Amino acid sequence: MLDADFFRRWLTTAAAAVDREAERLTELDSPIGDADHGSNLQRGFTAVVSGLEKEAPDTPGAVLTQAGRQLISTVGGASGPLYGTLLRRTGKALGDAAEVSEAEFADALRTGVDAVAALGGAAPGDKTMLDALVPAIDALPTSFAAARAAAHEGALATTPLQARKGRASYLGERSIGHQDPGATSSALLFEALAETAEEAAHE
Ligand code: ADP
Ligand code: MG
């Protein structure tokens, strides 16, 4: 079972990964965006972590809902509302249970990813974060490690795609040949999730 502490650790690990990779995320956002994806997420996840330090919610649903609200209110770019919606809607779907099973979490995360697709109007193949998120949630019922691998593969597979949503879509065919920054950060979130699960299993 997964408790509030598991989700706090996931988000803290994700924030550290975002810090470590911020420069690379911003570099990916240079040729097909406005070179701010790394700094956008750094600002957002720093706020998430300090929010969780100030006030530690005691259910998985409340941890994710609070984190989602922080992302929405601190990140100006497209990714803030999208990732914020992902976490907030996932949290809402988890309700107020003190612990949730991996299967319940996988179901809730699917609700969150559906909400991202509805908000942004994108589908897999449009060269967005959904190209990593959708394969990851499809693999999540197998294992956290399978979801991490699927997200990573999904992010790499955005390179040959032409962007149909977001800022990169303004470039038309010139968006081809570049890995999508949002799909890359989504892969980081699933890497952090797998790491957190591995650490929890060793305790
Ligand atoms: P902005 O594009 O406003 O500068 P960011 O640079 O932080 O915001 O985030 C860009 C990423 O957001 C893209 O790489 C893409 O993955 C994702 N994105 C943009 N628009 C959409 C959308 N409509 N649906 C899903 N993801 C999107
Ligand atoms: Mg940008």
Side-chain angles (χ1 to χ4, degrees):
M1 294 295 277
L2 310 170
D3 61 7
D5 188 52
F6 176 88
F7 288 93
R8 275 196 296 273
R9 286 159 66 174
W10 172 31
L11 295 172
T12 307
T13 306
V18 162
D19 261 341
R20 200 177 60 231
E21 298 290 328
E23 217 168 296
R24 190 167 88 89
L25 294 174
T26 285
E27 262 167 39
L28 291 172
D29 197 32
S30 306
I32 57 167
D34 55 353
D36 65 355
H37 190 56
S39 49
N40 280 344
L41 290 190
Q42 232 176 350
R43 185 174 343 107
F45 276 89
T46 300
V48 165
V49 170
S50 61
L52 290 172
E53 280 167 359
K54 247 181 259 149
E55 184 192 344
D58 54 6
T59 65
V63 169
L64 295 181
T65 307
Q66 175 176 312
R69 276 201 304 262
Q70 295 275 11
L71 289 180
I72 292 169
S73 63
T74 53
V75 180
S79 62
L82 292 164
Y83 277 134
T85 295
L86 175 68
L87 296 183
R88 210 170 60 82
R89 292 296 288 273
T90 302
K92 238 173 120 183
L94 289 176
D96 56 8
E99 292 189 327
V100 299
S101 68
E102 288 175 20
E104 284 164 340
F105 174 43
D107 281 348
L109 204 50
R110 184 173 293 279
T111 307
V113 172
D114 287 347
V116 171
L119 176 64
D126 287 346
K127 197 181 181 101
T128 70
M129 57 175 68
L130 287 170
D131 288 307
L133 294 175
V134 170
I137 55 162
D138 285 344
L140 192 55
T142 306
S143 68
F144 288 115
R148 163 173 54 195
H152 179 68
E153 288 302 310
L156 293 180
T158 59
T159 301
L161 299 176
Q162 177 173 335
R164 287 193 289 250
K165 289 288 168 192
R167 215 176 268 283
S169 67
Y170 308 156
L171 292 175
E173 286 181 4
R174 281 180 296 135
S175 63
I176 294 171
H178 303 281
Q179 188 172 320
D180 181 63
T184 308
S185 56
S186 287
L188 280 185
L189 298 186
F190 278 90
E191 200 175 302
L193 182 62
E195 247 176 66
T196 307
E198 278 156 16
E199 276 167 22
H202 283 117
E203 279 162 8

